[in-house]
Amino acid sequence: MAEFAQFSGTDRYIADEALMASVNAALVLERPLLVKGEPGTGKTLLAHAVAETLGRPLYSWHVKSTTKAEEGLYTYDVVQRLNDSRFGDADVSNIRNYIKYGPVGLAFDSDEPVVLLIDEVDKADIEFPNDLLRELDEMAFTVRELEETVRAKQRPLVIITSNAEKELPDAFLRRCVFHFIDFPDRERMERIVHVHLPTLGPDLMKAALDRFFAFRKVAGLRKPPSTSELVDWLTVLVASGLDPASITEGDPFLGVLFKGEADLAAAVDKRRGRKSW
Amino acid sequence: MFVDLLFNLRAQGLVVGVGEWTGFLDAVGRGLATDLDGMYHLGRALLCRSESDFDGFDLAFAKTFQGMEIADDLREKLEEWLRDAKERTEGERVPHEFESMEDLLEAFRDRLEKQKERHDGGNHWVGTGGTSPFGNSGRAANGIRVGGSAGGRSAVATAMERRWEGYRGDRTLDLRELKVVLRLLRSLAHDGPMELDLPGTIDATCHNAGDIELVEKRERRNRLKLVLLMDAGGSMAPHAERVEKLFSAASQMKDTFKSFEAYSFHNCVYQWLYKDIEQLDRVATSEILAKLTPQHRIILVGDASMAPYELFSSYSWPSTTTDAGIDWLRRIKQRSPAAIWLNPDPQRFWQHPTVSAIGRIFPMFDLSVQGLKDGIKKLRVPH
C-alpha cells in the first residue's frame, strides 16, 4: 500500500483509516470521491486538506440551487459581446474572448494536476449530477460555440460533497468512490479540538466536551451541534476567559452551539432537568 | 473467496454491479488493500453507495472473511498477545484450572488450532462471552482475556460491531430523509400561466444580433395532488410516532404539491374520515371520494390488521352503516388507482387475513424510508 498512500491527513486535519483508503482509492482508480456526512463534520475541509497534502492547487465550485451543470464548464457571455459590438471597441469577431471557463473548465485546462471540489452537489436540481456524468467520466467537454473539445491536460482529483438533501442518481453513485464522515467519537474529537486550539487547557476541554456530548443526546434537536460549532464555542469560551467550572453550571454562550430558537430552548430545558419536547 | 463477498453483498440487498465489482478487484489488484483491514475500508468505499449500505456491507464482510481471519491475521495477533500476557502475568497466581502458565498457553494454542470460526458464548472455544477461560467479556473465574491491548482492531471485529445498523434504509425514518424521498413524488409540468422568459429573451436577442426577440414560457409547476390517509388509535398506538413523522414530512412539503390533504381513520376507512387525530372534525368519505381523480396519489398508512368482520361486514366505527370497510377501500382505488399502503408492522405479521386482503387492493410497503421509496416508484408508474 505504501506507494499509493499519498494522503494521510495534515497537521490541521485528522483523517482516519477509512478516509485515507477512500482518498487513495479515488486517486488510483481516477474516480470522483463522493463525501457525505452531517453538516459541520469537515467535508469541505477535507478537500482543502487533500489538496494541501498532495501539493495541488484547489479549484472550488460551490453549487447553489440555481446552478446549472454547464456553468461549471464554461459560459458564453453573449450580453457582453452584444454590448461590445454596439458600444465597445473589443474584438467581437473572436467568440473566444467571450468564453469563460468555470471551475471544471479551469481544472481541465490547468497544466499541473489539481484537486477539483464540487461542493454541496445536492443543492442543485435533481438532474444536475447526471448532467456532469459524461464530462467527469471522460474528463472532456465540448465548447459548442467554438466546436472545440477541452480535454483535461492532467486528470484532476474530483471531490464531491453532499449533505444528502437530495437523492443522487444511481448512475452517478456507481462511478464514485463513497466516503461517509462519521461523527467523531470523544477521543477523536479531542484530537480535532487540539488541532484547532492547541493551547486549550485540559480542564476546559473536559468540561466543554462533557457538555457538548450531553447536548448532542438531547432528543428532538433539529440540528445537533457539530464539530465546527464546538470549535467556535470553545474559541469564545477561551476568549472570555471563563473558569472551566462555570461551563458545567452556567452553560454560557449556548447561542454559538445552537442555531435554532427551538433547539436552544430544548437545550436550556435539558439543563434545568426538565424533559424536553 | 472474493466471489463469496459479491454474493453475500447481493444477498444483503446491496446493488453491486459489474462495474463496481471490477473496480474493486482492480483496486485490490493494484495493491490498494494488502490486508483485511485495507480490504474492509476499500470495499466500503467502492461497493457502498450510501451510509445506509454500510450495515449490509458489514454483515456480508463478516460472513465472508470470518473464518479466514481466525486462520491468518487474528492468530498472529493472539500469539503476540499471548507473549504479552505471559510477561504481564509472570509472578501472578497461576489459574487453578491448569498446572502452570505453560499449560494454559498450550491449551489456548491447541484450541485455537481446532477452532474454525468465531464463538460467542459457550464454555470452550475462544470467543466473547461465555465461560471459556479464553476470550473476551467472559465469566470464567480465570483465564486469558483476548483483546484489550492487542493492538489494532481487526476488520471483522469492526464489521461485527454493526455500528451502522441505525443508518439502514429499511429501518430508519428520519424526517429529512422522508422529505428527500417525498420530493421524488413530483410531476413537473410547464402548465402554469405564460410569463416572459427574461434570460431566454436576452439570449435569443443576442443570438439574433441585437434584434429584440421575445421568448415566453409557461411557469413550471408541480401538478401532484397527494392524499394521506392514516390509521390512528387502537393497534396503531405503538406506531404513532412514525406515522406522525410521515405526516409532518408531507405537510412540511405541501407547498411543493399542487394539493395536499391528510385525514385519519380508525381501523379501516368507513363512511367518515377525520381531519384531526382526535377524530372530532369529520368529513363524509363519499365527499372526499367525489373529489378524487386519477391524478391524485394516495398513501394509506395503517397496520391493516383487524378482526375480519371489521373489514368484511357492514360494520363501522363508531356508528353503524351499511357498507363494509373493504368496499370503501375498493372505491378509493377505483377513483385513484395510484394508491399505496404503508404498513408499520414488520413483514412477518403480514400473513394476517385482513392484511393480505388489503394487500390485494393496495400494493403494500414497509413504513420506512426504503418502503416509501419503493412505494413512490409504484405511485409514479402505477401500472
Side-chain angles (χ1 to χ4, degrees), chain B residues 156-209:
Chain B
V156 169
T158 311
M160 291 278 207
E161 274 181 15
R162 300 196 59 187
R163 296 176 51 219
W164 302 95
E165 201 177 349
Y167 290 88
R168 283 185 81 101
D170 51 359
R171 300 273 168 81
T172 54
L173 204 56
D174 175 68
L175 192 64
R176 198 192 55 198
E177 268 184 85
L178 279 177
K179 282 159 78 177
V180 172
V181 179
L182 279 174
R183 207 167 295 184
L184 298 174
L185 231 195
R186 59 175 188 184
S187 67
L188 289 173
H190 290 275
D191 64 352
M194 291 297 274
E195 53 175 16
L196 180 67
D197 178 5
L198 198 53
T201 300
I202 294 173
D203 204 41
T205 305
C206 293
H207 280 285
N208 209 16

Side-chain angles (χ1 to χ4, degrees), chain B residues 78-380:
Chain B
L78 282 173
E79 298 228 342
E80 191 181 297
W81 195 89
L82 280 176
R83 285 191 293 274
D84 188 24
K86 198 181 164 199
E87 280 160 30
R88 275 195 285 145
T89 48
E90 215 95 69
E92 285 175 25
R93 202 169 66 86
V94 170
H96 68 254
E97 210 187 310
F98 299 95
E99 291 291 324
S100 68
M101 195 67 204
E102 259 59 50
D103 284 353
L104 177 65
L105 293 182
E106 193 51 55
F108 188 6
R109 282 207 192 87
D110 182 51
R111 281 185 205 181
L112 205 54
E113 203 66 56
K114 292 177 189 153
Q115 177 164 347
K116 290 283 176 281
E117 56 195 42
R118 182 192 164 99
H119 283 266
D120 293 337
N123 61 9
H124 186 74
W125 296 116
V126 181
T128 60
T131 56
S132 161
F134 311 112
N136 202 338
S137 320
R139 295 179 302 279
N142 41 38
I144 292 177
R145 180 178 163 276
V146 179
S149 70
R153 290 179 328 138
S154 72
V156 169
T158 311
M160 291 278 207
E161 274 181 15
R162 300 196 59 187
R163 296 176 51 219
W164 302 95
E165 201 177 349
Y167 290 88
R168 283 185 81 101
D170 51 359
R171 300 273 168 81
T172 54
L173 204 56
D174 175 68
L175 192 64
R176 198 192 55 198
E177 268 184 85
L178 279 177
K179 282 159 78 177
V180 172
V181 179
L182 279 174
R183 207 167 295 184
L184 298 174
L185 231 195
R186 59 175 188 184
S187 67
L188 289 173
H190 290 275
D191 64 352
M194 291 297 274
E195 53 175 16
L196 180 67
D197 178 5
L198 198 53
T201 300
I202 294 173
D203 204 41
T205 305
C206 293
H207 280 285
N208 209 16
D211 277 347
I212 301 286
E213 179 150 336
L214 290 176
V215 179
E216 283 189 323
K217 67 169 182 195
R218 288 198 183 274
E219 213 181 304
R220 211 165 74 134
R221 284 184 175 176
N222 192 354
R223 287 180 305 180
L224 197 107
K225 299 170 184 171
L226 181 66
V227 178
L228 188 60
L229 300 173
M230 297 162 292
D231 189 353
S235 53
M236 285 294 286
H239 310 302
E241 198 192 341
R242 294 159 69 197
V243 179
E244 206 175 292
K245 269 193 188 157
L246 177 67
F247 171 73
S248 14
S251 50
Q252 279 174 28
M253 291 190 53
K254 69 177 168 201
D255 291 342
T256 66
F257 301 125
K258 185 161 185 186
S259 78
F260 168 70
E261 287 163 78
Y263 302 98
S264 73
F265 59 88
H266 186 97
N267 253 341
C268 183
V269 177
Y270 302 113
Q271 74 187 121
W272 302 105
L273 285 168
Y274 302 86
K275 287 185 180 168
D276 51 353
I277 296 287
E278 294 80 24
Q279 311 207 326
L280 299 169
D281 188 2
R282 66 183 192 178
V283 204
T285 308
S286 51
E287 212 173 287
I288 291 163
L289 270 176
K291 283 190 290 185
L292 290 185
T293 65
Q295 281 74 48
H296 278 87
R297 299 287 181 269
I298 319 283
I299 299 179
L300 295 111
V301 187
D303 58 5
S305 58
M306 54 196 101
Y309 72 89
E310 289 175 313
L311 183 63
F312 300 115
S313 24
S314 313
Y315 159 92
S316 128
W317 189 92
S319 64
T320 54
T321 178
T322 48
D323 293 313
I326 196 149
D327 296 324
W328 287 108
L329 294 180
R330 285 204 186 102
R331 272 172 221 160
I332 293 174
K333 173 83 174 177
Q334 228 164 29
R335 300 283 306 179
S336 302
I340 56 164
W341 188 289
L342 297 178
N343 196 330
D345 274 340
Q347 293 216 6
R348 60 176 187 278
F349 294 139
W350 295 9
Q351 295 308 316
H352 194 277
T354 59
V355 182
S356 37
I358 289 175
R360 277 194 291 276
I361 304 177
F362 302 106
M364 200 174 277
F365 301 92
D366 272 323
L367 178 58
S368 66
V369 170
Q370 189 57 49
L372 184 61
K373 219 182 266 182
D374 296 341
I376 279 177
K377 269 188 207 147
K378 195 83 193 160
L379 283 182
R380 287 164 65 102

